[in-house]
Amino acid sequence: ETGVTQTPRHLVMGMTNKKSLKCEQHLGHNAMYWYKQSAKKPLELMFVYNFKEQTENNSVPSRFSPECPNSSHLFLHLHTLQPEDSALYLCASSQDLIVGDEQFFGPGTRLTVL
Amino acid sequence: DAKTTQPTSMDCAEGRAANLPCNHSTISGNEYVYWYRQIHSQGPQYIIHGLKNNETNEMASLIITEDRKSSTLILPHATLRDTAVYYCIVRPPEGTSYDKVIFGPGTSLSVIP
């Protein structure tokens, strides 16, 4: 139990669908992250939030829209995705955005875009 | 590009020590070395981190060379559950943009019975 949960664990969607991924952390952390892990590729950082404010958008296409309503919840809204967006999407949190804070990862959402 | 290089894969006999090397020859003086692992179909798990001194915790030991250009993660008594991809990453110093945190392809460790 890492304290970071993600739902759903698996999602299949068409290119015209709109869906949302949810992440929740019960660790009292202030920073949350979205990562993308494509097949046989390294983890790629997508978005960073600190105290609900987005501090980093790593050149992610606008079809991915993050939302952080409070420090415990992070969403990733998906619309008009492409098949190449199929990947494992991982959420993580850390106490703060400072060196020395370890990141705790959730189990991920396996997304398939048809 | 990742700032670290690791072997693509390694095997280790169960019960023996697993020594996973990592090269980070361009590391700067205020950057930390972090290790994570990812067991199949799970999210990455933090293992250990260090700056200059060797570190040990309940999971592993981290040996950093004096010039800090390389490090070795040591799992003292590998078990089958240690089979995973191990990532060595260099964390930027405080105040640096977080898009500089880059995971490389890692080392796929197979612990063999």
PDB file of all heavy atoms in Angstrom, chain A residues 35-62:
ATOM      1  N   TYR A  35       2.977  11.004 -14.879  1.00  0.00           N
ATOM      2  CA  TYR A  35       3.999  10.444 -15.753  1.00  0.00           C
ATOM      3  C   TYR A  35       3.320   9.575 -16.806  1.00  0.00           C
ATOM      4  O   TYR A  35       2.281   8.975 -16.562  1.00  0.00           O
ATOM      5  CB  TYR A  35       4.972   9.547 -14.981  1.00  0.00           C
ATOM      6  CG  TYR A  35       5.965  10.239 -14.097  1.00  0.00           C
ATOM      7  CD1 TYR A  35       5.646  10.589 -12.786  1.00  0.00           C
ATOM      8  CD2 TYR A  35       7.257  10.516 -14.551  1.00  0.00           C
ATOM      9  CE1 TYR A  35       6.578  11.209 -11.960  1.00  0.00           C
ATOM     10  CE2 TYR A  35       8.195  11.124 -13.725  1.00  0.00           C
ATOM     11  CZ  TYR A  35       7.837  11.465 -12.426  1.00  0.00           C
ATOM     12  OH  TYR A  35       8.766  12.072 -11.617  1.00  0.00           O
ATOM     13  N   LYS A  36       3.991   9.448 -17.949  1.00  0.00           N
ATOM     14  CA  LYS A  36       3.549   8.534 -18.993  1.00  0.00           C
ATOM     15  C   LYS A  36       4.650   7.514 -19.227  1.00  0.00           C
ATOM     16  O   LYS A  36       5.827   7.871 -19.315  1.00  0.00           O
ATOM     17  CB  LYS A  36       3.281   9.298 -20.292  1.00  0.00           C
ATOM     18  CG  LYS A  36       2.940   8.411 -21.478  1.00  0.00           C
ATOM     19  CD  LYS A  36       2.793   9.244 -22.750  1.00  0.00           C
ATOM     20  CE  LYS A  36       2.513   8.346 -23.959  1.00  0.00           C
ATOM     21  NZ  LYS A  36       2.418   9.143 -25.217  1.00  0.00           N
ATOM     22  N   GLN A  37       4.267   6.245 -19.312  1.00  0.00           N
ATOM     23  CA  GLN A  37       5.227   5.192 -19.616  1.00  0.00           C
ATOM     24  C   GLN A  37       4.708   4.384 -20.792  1.00  0.00           C
ATOM     25  O   GLN A  37       3.795   3.573 -20.655  1.00  0.00           O
ATOM     26  CB  GLN A  37       5.467   4.279 -18.422  1.00  0.00           C
ATOM     27  CG  GLN A  37       6.606   3.285 -18.645  1.00  0.00           C
ATOM     28  CD  GLN A  37       6.929   2.505 -17.397  1.00  0.00           C
ATOM     29  OE1 GLN A  37       6.054   2.176 -16.611  1.00  0.00           O
ATOM     30  NE2 GLN A  37       8.204   2.206 -17.195  1.00  0.00           N
ATOM     31  N   SER A  38       5.306   4.612 -21.963  1.00  0.00           N
ATOM     32  CA  SER A  38       4.932   3.861 -23.150  1.00  0.00           C
ATOM     33  C   SER A  38       5.701   2.553 -23.177  1.00  0.00           C
ATOM     34  O   SER A  38       6.715   2.397 -22.507  1.00  0.00           O
ATOM     35  CB  SER A  38       5.256   4.676 -24.413  1.00  0.00           C
ATOM     36  OG  SER A  38       4.595   5.925 -24.382  1.00  0.00           O
ATOM     37  N   ALA A  39       5.209   1.629 -23.985  1.00  0.00           N
ATOM     38  CA  ALA A  39       5.840   0.314 -24.065  1.00  0.00           C
ATOM     39  C   ALA A  39       7.316   0.462 -24.442  1.00  0.00           C
ATOM     40  O   ALA A  39       7.662   1.149 -25.389  1.00  0.00           O
ATOM     41  CB  ALA A  39       5.121  -0.546 -25.094  1.00  0.00           C
ATOM     42  N   LYS A  40       8.162  -0.146 -23.651  1.00  0.00           N
ATOM     43  CA  LYS A  40       9.604  -0.198 -23.911  1.00  0.00           C
ATOM     44  C   LYS A  40      10.243   1.186 -23.969  1.00  0.00           C
ATOM     45  O   LYS A  40      11.253   1.382 -24.637  1.00  0.00           O
ATOM     46  CB  LYS A  40       9.889  -0.973 -25.195  1.00  0.00           C
ATOM     47  CG  LYS A  40       9.416  -2.413 -25.147  1.00  0.00           C
ATOM     48  CD  LYS A  40       9.776  -3.177 -26.400  1.00  0.00           C
ATOM     49  CE  LYS A  40       9.300  -4.631 -26.293  1.00  0.00           C
ATOM     50  NZ  LYS A  40       9.641  -5.416 -27.501  1.00  0.00           N
ATOM     51  N   LYS A  41       9.631   2.152 -23.298  1.00  0.00           N
ATOM     52  CA  LYS A  41      10.213   3.490 -23.216  1.00  0.00           C
ATOM     53  C   LYS A  41      10.346   3.899 -21.765  1.00  0.00           C
ATOM     54  O   LYS A  41       9.615   3.403 -20.905  1.00  0.00           O
ATOM     55  CB  LYS A  41       9.330   4.512 -23.944  1.00  0.00           C
ATOM     56  CG  LYS A  41       9.366   4.429 -25.455  1.00  0.00           C
ATOM     57  CD  LYS A  41       8.561   5.581 -26.044  1.00  0.00           C
ATOM     58  CE  LYS A  41       8.613   5.570 -27.547  1.00  0.00           C
ATOM     59  NZ  LYS A  41       7.844   6.711 -28.122  1.00  0.00           N
ATOM     60  N   PRO A  42      11.237   4.811 -21.466  1.00  0.00           N
ATOM     61  CA  PRO A  42      11.379   5.278 -20.090  1.00  0.00           C
ATOM     62  C   PRO A  42      10.183   6.106 -19.653  1.00  0.00           C
ATOM     63  O   PRO A  42       9.405   6.581 -20.483  1.00  0.00           O
ATOM     64  CB  PRO A  42      12.644   6.140 -20.135  1.00  0.00           C
ATOM     65  CG  PRO A  42      13.305   5.832 -21.408  1.00  0.00           C
ATOM     66  CD  PRO A  42      12.237   5.411 -22.353  1.00  0.00           C
ATOM     67  N   LEU A  43      10.094   6.305 -18.369  1.00  0.00           N
ATOM     68  CA  LEU A  43       9.073   7.196 -17.816  1.00  0.00           C
ATOM     69  C   LEU A  43       9.289   8.620 -18.314  1.00  0.00           C
ATOM     70  O   LEU A  43      10.403   9.110 -18.376  1.00  0.00           O
ATOM     71  CB  LEU A  43       9.158   7.204 -16.297  1.00  0.00           C
ATOM     72  CG  LEU A  43       8.534   6.034 -15.552  1.00  0.00           C
ATOM     73  CD1 LEU A  43       8.993   6.032 -14.114  1.00  0.00           C
ATOM     74  CD2 LEU A  43       7.034   6.101 -15.624  1.00  0.00           C
ATOM     75  N   GLU A  44       8.165   9.273 -18.680  1.00  0.00           N
ATOM     76  CA  GLU A  44       8.235  10.658 -19.111  1.00  0.00           C
ATOM     77  C   GLU A  44       7.385  11.511 -18.171  1.00  0.00           C
ATOM     78  O   GLU A  44       6.208  11.221 -17.979  1.00  0.00           O
ATOM     79  CB  GLU A  44       7.680  10.816 -20.524  1.00  0.00           C
ATOM     80  CG  GLU A  44       8.348   9.975 -21.585  1.00  0.00           C
ATOM     81  CD  GLU A  44       7.565  10.020 -22.885  1.00  0.00           C
ATOM     82  OE1 GLU A  44       7.387  11.132 -23.429  1.00  0.00           O
ATOM     83  OE2 GLU A  44       7.110   8.961 -23.358  1.00  0.00           O
ATOM     84  N   LEU A  45       7.985  12.550 -17.609  1.00  0.00           N
ATOM     85  CA  LEU A  45       7.233  13.453 -16.755  1.00  0.00           C
ATOM     86  C   LEU A  45       6.313  14.307 -17.616  1.00  0.00           C
ATOM     87  O   LEU A  45       6.736  14.878 -18.615  1.00  0.00           O
ATOM     88  CB  LEU A  45       8.201  14.339 -15.972  1.00  0.00           C
ATOM     89  CG  LEU A  45       7.589  15.334 -15.007  1.00  0.00           C
ATOM     90  CD1 LEU A  45       6.853  14.621 -13.880  1.00  0.00           C
ATOM     91  CD2 LEU A  45       8.669  16.250 -14.447  1.00  0.00           C
ATOM     92  N   MET A  46       5.035  14.407 -17.225  1.00  0.00           N
ATOM     93  CA  MET A  46       4.067  15.194 -17.988  1.00  0.00           C
ATOM     94  C   MET A  46       3.744  16.506 -17.284  1.00  0.00           C
ATOM     95  O   MET A  46       3.881  17.580 -17.854  1.00  0.00           O
ATOM     96  CB  MET A  46       2.785  14.390 -18.195  1.00  0.00           C
ATOM     97  CG  MET A  46       2.947  13.091 -18.947  1.00  0.00           C
ATOM     98  SD  MET A  46       1.412  12.146 -19.012  1.00  0.00           S
ATOM     99  CE  MET A  46       0.434  13.134 -20.148  1.00  0.00           C
ATOM    100  N   PHE A  47       3.247  16.411 -16.065  1.00  0.00           N
ATOM    101  CA  PHE A  47       2.797  17.595 -15.331  1.00  0.00           C
ATOM    102  C   PHE A  47       3.261  17.507 -13.879  1.00  0.00           C
ATOM    103  O   PHE A  47       3.391  16.429 -13.322  1.00  0.00           O
ATOM    104  CB  PHE A  47       1.261  17.700 -15.332  1.00  0.00           C
ATOM    105  CG  PHE A  47       0.643  17.808 -16.688  1.00  0.00           C
ATOM    106  CD1 PHE A  47       0.008  16.712 -17.251  1.00  0.00           C
ATOM    107  CD2 PHE A  47       0.682  18.997 -17.402  1.00  0.00           C
ATOM    108  CE1 PHE A  47      -0.569  16.794 -18.504  1.00  0.00           C
ATOM    109  CE2 PHE A  47       0.102  19.093 -18.651  1.00  0.00           C
ATOM    110  CZ  PHE A  47      -0.523  17.987 -19.207  1.00  0.00           C
ATOM    111  N   VAL A  48       3.474  18.689 -13.294  1.00  0.00           N
ATOM    112  CA  VAL A  48       3.826  18.778 -11.888  1.00  0.00           C
ATOM    113  C   VAL A  48       2.921  19.815 -11.233  1.00  0.00           C
ATOM    114  O   VAL A  48       2.732  20.908 -11.780  1.00  0.00           O
ATOM    115  CB  VAL A  48       5.302  19.202 -11.692  1.00  0.00           C
ATOM    116  CG1 VAL A  48       5.637  19.290 -10.212  1.00  0.00           C
ATOM    117  CG2 VAL A  48       6.229  18.231 -12.398  1.00  0.00           C
ATOM    118  N   TYR A  49       2.373  19.482 -10.088  1.00  0.00           N
ATOM    119  CA  TYR A  49       1.566  20.403  -9.306  1.00  0.00           C
ATOM    120  C   TYR A  49       2.168  20.531  -7.918  1.00  0.00           C
ATOM    121  O   TYR A  49       2.583  19.552  -7.319  1.00  0.00           O
ATOM    122  CB  TYR A  49       0.111  19.912  -9.184  1.00  0.00           C
ATOM    123  CG  TYR A  49      -0.742  20.261 -10.367  1.00  0.00           C
ATOM    124  CD1 TYR A  49      -0.731  19.480 -11.513  1.00  0.00           C
ATOM    125  CD2 TYR A  49      -1.573  21.381 -10.344  1.00  0.00           C
ATOM    126  CE1 TYR A  49      -1.511  19.796 -12.607  1.00  0.00           C
ATOM    127  CE2 TYR A  49      -2.365  21.712 -11.423  1.00  0.00           C
ATOM    128  CZ  TYR A  49      -2.329  20.920 -12.560  1.00  0.00           C
ATOM    129  OH  TYR A  49      -3.106  21.247 -13.639  1.00  0.00           O
ATOM    130  N   ASN A  50       2.219  21.755  -7.419  1.00  0.00           N
ATOM    131  CA  ASN A  50       2.695  22.012  -6.081  1.00  0.00           C
ATOM    132  C   ASN A  50       1.681  22.931  -5.389  1.00  0.00           C
ATOM    133  O   ASN A  50       1.411  24.017  -5.882  1.00  0.00           O
ATOM    134  CB  ASN A  50       4.083  22.665  -6.117  1.00  0.00           C
ATOM    135  CG  ASN A  50       4.720  22.715  -4.753  1.00  0.00           C
ATOM    136  OD1 ASN A  50       4.565  21.803  -3.957  1.00  0.00           O
ATOM    137  ND2 ASN A  50       5.459  23.776  -4.473  1.00  0.00           N
ATOM    138  N   PHE A  51       1.118  22.476  -4.287  1.00  0.00           N
ATOM    139  CA  PHE A  51       0.076  23.238  -3.605  1.00  0.00           C
ATOM    140  C   PHE A  51      -1.023  23.646  -4.596  1.00  0.00           C
ATOM    141  O   PHE A  51      -1.436  24.797  -4.642  1.00  0.00           O
ATOM    142  CB  PHE A  51       0.648  24.486  -2.921  1.00  0.00           C
ATOM    143  CG  PHE A  51       1.458  24.183  -1.713  1.00  0.00           C
ATOM    144  CD1 PHE A  51       2.845  24.183  -1.771  1.00  0.00           C
ATOM    145  CD2 PHE A  51       0.849  23.916  -0.501  1.00  0.00           C
ATOM    146  CE1 PHE A  51       3.604  23.916  -0.641  1.00  0.00           C
ATOM    147  CE2 PHE A  51       1.600  23.649   0.634  1.00  0.00           C
ATOM    148  CZ  PHE A  51       2.984  23.646   0.557  1.00  0.00           C
ATOM    149  N   LYS A  52      -1.473  22.710  -5.384  1.00  0.00           N
ATOM    150  CA  LYS A  52      -2.562  22.866  -6.356  1.00  0.00           C
ATOM    151  C   LYS A  52      -2.191  23.728  -7.558  1.00  0.00           C
ATOM    152  O   LYS A  52      -3.007  23.882  -8.475  1.00  0.00           O
ATOM    153  CB  LYS A  52      -3.821  23.447  -5.701  1.00  0.00           C
ATOM    154  CG  LYS A  52      -4.354  22.668  -4.522  1.00  0.00           C
ATOM    155  CD  LYS A  52      -5.673  23.221  -4.029  1.00  0.00           C
ATOM    156  CE  LYS A  52      -5.543  24.656  -3.570  1.00  0.00           C
ATOM    157  NZ  LYS A  52      -6.850  25.223  -3.129  1.00  0.00           N
ATOM    158  N   GLU A  53      -1.002  24.277  -7.600  1.00  0.00           N
ATOM    159  CA  GLU A  53      -0.619  25.110  -8.733  1.00  0.00           C
ATOM    160  C   GLU A  53       0.278  24.322  -9.682  1.00  0.00           C
ATOM    161  O   GLU A  53       1.225  23.658  -9.267  1.00  0.00           O
ATOM    162  CB  GLU A  53       0.145  26.353  -8.242  1.00  0.00           C
ATOM    163  CG  GLU A  53      -0.664  27.248  -7.316  1.00  0.00           C
ATOM    164  CD  GLU A  53      -1.889  27.823  -8.009  1.00  0.00           C
ATOM    165  OE1 GLU A  53      -1.782  28.159  -9.218  1.00  0.00           O
ATOM    166  OE2 GLU A  53      -2.950  27.930  -7.368  1.00  0.00           O
ATOM    167  N   GLN A  54      -0.020  24.431 -10.969  1.00  0.00           N
ATOM    168  CA  GLN A  54       0.793  23.711 -11.946  1.00  0.00           C
ATOM    169  C   GLN A  54       2.124  24.420 -12.099  1.00  0.00           C
ATOM    170  O   GLN A  54       2.182  25.615 -12.393  1.00  0.00           O
ATOM    171  CB  GLN A  54       0.083  23.650 -13.308  1.00  0.00           C
ATOM    172  CG  GLN A  54       0.815  22.767 -14.315  1.00  0.00           C
ATOM    173  CD  GLN A  54       0.129  22.702 -15.663  1.00  0.00           C
ATOM    174  OE1 GLN A  54       0.728  22.936 -16.691  1.00  0.00           O
ATOM    175  NE2 GLN A  54      -1.153  22.394 -15.677  1.00  0.00           N
ATOM    176  N   THR A  55       3.198  23.696 -11.873  1.00  0.00           N
ATOM    177  CA  THR A  55       4.531  24.279 -11.972  1.00  0.00           C
ATOM    178  C   THR A  55       5.282  23.798 -13.202  1.00  0.00           C
ATOM    179  O   THR A  55       6.315  24.348 -13.549  1.00  0.00           O
ATOM    180  CB  THR A  55       5.373  23.943 -10.726  1.00  0.00           C
ATOM    181  OG1 THR A  55       5.532  22.523 -10.644  1.00  0.00           O
ATOM    182  CG2 THR A  55       4.713  24.447  -9.459  1.00  0.00           C
ATOM    183  N   GLU A  56       4.781  22.768 -13.829  1.00  0.00           N
ATOM    184  CA  GLU A  56       5.501  22.236 -14.986  1.00  0.00           C
ATOM    185  C   GLU A  56       4.533  21.600 -15.952  1.00  0.00           C
ATOM    186  O   GLU A  56       3.652  20.834 -15.565  1.00  0.00           O
ATOM    187  CB  GLU A  56       6.509  21.187 -14.519  1.00  0.00           C
ATOM    188  CG  GLU A  56       7.581  20.872 -15.547  1.00  0.00           C
ATOM    189  CD  GLU A  56       8.454  22.075 -15.846  1.00  0.00           C
ATOM    190  OE1 GLU A  56       8.893  22.728 -14.893  1.00  0.00           O
ATOM    191  OE2 GLU A  56       8.673  22.358 -17.027  1.00  0.00           O
ATOM    192  N   ASN A  57       4.664  21.936 -17.203  1.00  0.00           N
ATOM    193  CA  ASN A  57       3.951  21.272 -18.283  1.00  0.00           C
ATOM    194  C   ASN A  57       5.015  20.920 -19.297  1.00  0.00           C
ATOM    195  O   ASN A  57       5.535  21.789 -19.994  1.00  0.00           O
ATOM    196  CB  ASN A  57       2.910  22.205 -18.896  1.00  0.00           C
ATOM    197  CG  ASN A  57       2.199  21.571 -20.093  1.00  0.00           C
ATOM    198  OD1 ASN A  57       2.705  20.644 -20.722  1.00  0.00           O
ATOM    199  ND2 ASN A  57       1.035  22.073 -20.415  1.00  0.00           N
ATOM    200  N   ASN A  58       5.350  19.650 -19.336  1.00  0.00           N
ATOM    201  CA  ASN A  58       6.504  19.228 -20.119  1.00  0.00           C
ATOM    202  C   ASN A  58       6.141  19.016 -21.587  1.00  0.00           C
ATOM    203  O   ASN A  58       6.272  17.922 -22.117  1.00  0.00           O
ATOM    204  CB  ASN A  58       7.076  17.952 -19.496  1.00  0.00           C
ATOM    205  CG  ASN A  58       8.495  17.686 -19.942  1.00  0.00           C
ATOM    206  OD1 ASN A  58       9.171  18.555 -20.466  1.00  0.00           O
ATOM    207  ND2 ASN A  58       8.956  16.467 -19.730  1.00  0.00           N
ATOM    208  N   SER A  59       5.660  20.098 -22.234  1.00  0.00           N
ATOM    209  CA  SER A  59       5.336  20.062 -23.662  1.00  0.00           C
ATOM    210  C   SER A  59       4.337  18.959 -23.995  1.00  0.00           C
ATOM    211  O   SER A  59       4.507  18.234 -24.977  1.00  0.00           O
ATOM    212  CB  SER A  59       6.624  19.859 -24.482  1.00  0.00           C
ATOM    213  OG  SER A  59       7.546  20.887 -24.217  1.00  0.00           O
ATOM    214  N   VAL A  60       3.326  18.850 -23.159  1.00  0.00           N
ATOM    215  CA  VAL A  60       2.313  17.816 -23.366  1.00  0.00           C
ATOM    216  C   VAL A  60       1.213  18.361 -24.278  1.00  0.00           C
ATOM    217  O   VAL A  60       0.772  19.500 -24.110  1.00  0.00           O
ATOM    218  CB  VAL A  60       1.698  17.395 -22.008  1.00  0.00           C
ATOM    219  CG1 VAL A  60       0.634  16.328 -22.207  1.00  0.00           C
ATOM    220  CG2 VAL A  60       2.791  16.904 -21.061  1.00  0.00           C
ATOM    221  N   PRO A  61       0.754  17.549 -25.240  1.00  0.00           N
ATOM    222  CA  PRO A  61      -0.328  18.008 -26.141  1.00  0.00           C
ATOM    223  C   PRO A  61      -1.577  18.406 -25.372  1.00  0.00           C
ATOM    224  O   PRO A  61      -1.866  17.851 -24.300  1.00  0.00           O
ATOM    225  CB  PRO A  61      -0.587  16.777 -27.017  1.00  0.00           C
ATOM    226  CG  PRO A  61       0.674  15.980 -26.953  1.00  0.00           C
ATOM    227  CD  PRO A  61       1.242  16.221 -25.591  1.00  0.00           C
ATOM    228  N   SER A  62      -2.329  19.342 -25.942  1.00  0.00           N
ATOM    229  CA  SER A  62      -3.500  19.879 -25.240  1.00  0.00           C
ATOM    230  C   SER A  62      -4.631  18.870 -25.101  1.00  0.00           C
ATOM    231  O   SER A  62      -5.588  19.126 -24.354  1.00  0.00           O
ATOM    232  CB  SER A  62      -4.015  21.118 -25.982  1.00  0.00           C
ATOM    233  OG  SER A  62      -4.367  20.775 -27.313  1.00  0.00           O
TER     234      SER A  62
END
